[in-house]
Amino acid sequence: MHERPGLVDDGDVLAEVRRGWDERVDTVSYLPVGFGAHHWAAYQDRQPRLFVTLDRVDEWRDAYRLEAAYASAVALHDSGLEFVVAALVGASGATTVPFGEGRLSCTPWRDGGSGGSLDLSWTQLALTRLHDVPPPEVTPVWRPLVRPDFADRTGELTGRSWGPGPYADAARQAVRERLTDVARWTDRYHRLADAARDRAWVANHGEPSSHDQLLTASGRLLVDWESLTLAPPELDLRLLVEGGMSPHEVGADPEMLELFDLEWRLDEISQYAAWFAAPHVGTRDDEIAFGGLRHELTRP
């Protein structure tokens, strides 16, 4: 996130990192990167040692599911998947600890940069290896992200004022105009979710895009394993199809691709609607969120 989390002090982050992971760390610096979680670099003698993440927890991803996802990533790395950048187990015996309104975790610092444009060959190979590994027992199990009554609940939300904030009225109107489509998408989503029970399920990264890939001197790595989920493989394979590969090339079921495309759209609409129904001031993060809402409401 570009904006710092409210009511979180860098000194408190430093103290928690020293207490839970590495007492040699002597400073932290906020990193305005990513979208959805907050991050810091933790240093010792001006050298970065840890990448610190503050994940939010909510009804869908509670503290238990988040810990289970990160613990499963540790197991996958230990099984031989060297491209998995897993969180470190801390002094508490867990990979996350409660902090503010979320959970704090640390991964080893890796020098590198954004994955840039998606390398389809590397990503397909990495996903094939990931999907072939027996999933760790604690891997969280996929479940629908929005309820069957999502359209009705969203309609009720748009029936009252949003904000205050510069995007409140425009966001509310944009959602109201597409409520019929939201109802249709939700109905189709849950019919496909029922069909998913008869498909093979594997461990999925959840969002293996180039934004969650780190390009290092030794090769590409997959980061941000908070969405690790036991689900049909199309949850990951959808990315390859969006990148230009055919469903046949990647062995994907078109209906399951549709399921997870609908899931992404509906979950984004849900999160952004809640975002702009609440007070906001027009930050860079607000601007990005409003663009994301409009895209999901209008894309093919």
Side-chain angles (χ1 to χ4, degrees):
M1 300 287 283
H2 290 79
E3 309 300 324
R4 288 173 170 269
L7 304 177
V8 173
D9 182 80
D10 284 359
D12 294 333
V13 174
L14 175 61
E16 192 62 59
V17 171
R18 286 172 55 86
R19 178 166 49 247
W21 283 276
D22 191 339
E23 63 182 9
R24 296 169 296 178
V25 167
D26 52 37
T27 188
V28 299
S29 177
Y30 186 72
L31 301 173
V33 297
F35 196 77
H38 297 277
H39 304 286
W40 291 260
Y43 298 85
Q44 179 190 0
D45 298 330
R46 300 183 180 181
Q47 297 299 313
R49 294 186 59 84
L50 300 173
F51 184 78
V52 184
T53 297
L54 176 60
D55 283 299
R56 62 182 175 85
V57 292
D58 53 31
E59 179 182 4
W60 181 79
R61 185 185 292 122
D62 58 21
Y64 174 81
R65 287 181 69 88
L66 182 65
E67 174 62 33
Y70 281 151
S72 298
V74 173
L76 289 170
H77 179 271
D78 291 347
S79 74
L81 298 181
E82 74 290 340
F83 57 82
V84 176
V85 181
L88 296 168
V89 177
S92 66
T95 61
T96 68
V97 296
F99 187 84
E101 297 181 351
R103 305 283 296 189
L104 202 70
S105 63
C106 294
T107 56
W109 183 269
R110 297 285 187 267
D111 287 324
S114 168
S117 59
L118 186 66
D119 184 325
L120 287 172
S121 296
W122 183 91
T123 304
Q124 182 181 27
L125 177 59
L127 292 180
T128 297
R129 292 179 61 196
L130 171 62
H131 295 171
D132 283 347
V133 171
E137 290 185 6
V138 296
T139 305
V141 178
W142 176 83
R143 60 190 182 190
L145 292 188
V146 299
R147 299 173 181 175
D149 64 351
F150 174 63
D152 292 336
R153 291 160 62 94
T154 303
E156 292 173 2
L157 182 63
T158 64
R160 52 183 184 266
S161 296
W162 285 16
Y167 296 103
D169 291 341
R172 175 176 169 272
Q173 184 62 29
V175 174
R176 281 182 67 85
E177 290 174 354
R178 301 307 297 267
L179 285 174
T180 300
D181 292 315
V182 169
R184 175 170 55 85
W185 296 332
T186 303
D187 178 68
R188 176 63 174 165
Y189 172 64
H190 279 279
R191 284 188 280 124
L192 291 170
D194 288 340
R197 297 190 179 98
D198 297 326
R199 306 307 204 270
W201 289 34
V202 299
N204 286 260
H205 176 278
E207 299 179 20
S209 70
S210 60
H211 298 296
D212 285 337
Q213 295 182 19
L214 186 68
L215 186 57
T216 71
S218 58
R220 288 181 181 263
L221 302 171
L222 262 177
V223 300
D224 293 349
W225 289 84
E226 74 281 355
S227 298
L228 176 60
T229 310
L230 185 66
E234 287 79 7
L235 176 58
D236 282 342
L237 297 179
R238 171 176 161 260
L239 176 76
L240 300 177
V241 175
E242 288 181 349
M245 301 182 74
S246 71
H248 177 73
E249 281 182 278
V250 300
D253 180 334
E255 282 200 332
M256 293 298 96
L257 292 172
E258 183 186 358
L259 167 66
F260 292 115
D261 181 65
L262 285 168
E263 175 166 278
W264 180 270
R265 184 198 296 265
L266 293 170
D267 184 45
E268 292 284 281
I269 293 171
S270 174
Q271 293 189 52
Y272 292 141
W275 184 311
F276 293 115
H280 56 282
V281 298
T283 65
R284 173 60 176 154
D285 289 327
D286 292 334
E287 180 185 356
I288 294 171
F290 184 62
L293 173 63
R294 289 192 302 181
H295 174 71
E296 294 304 333
L297 288 169
T298 59
R299 69 176 173 87

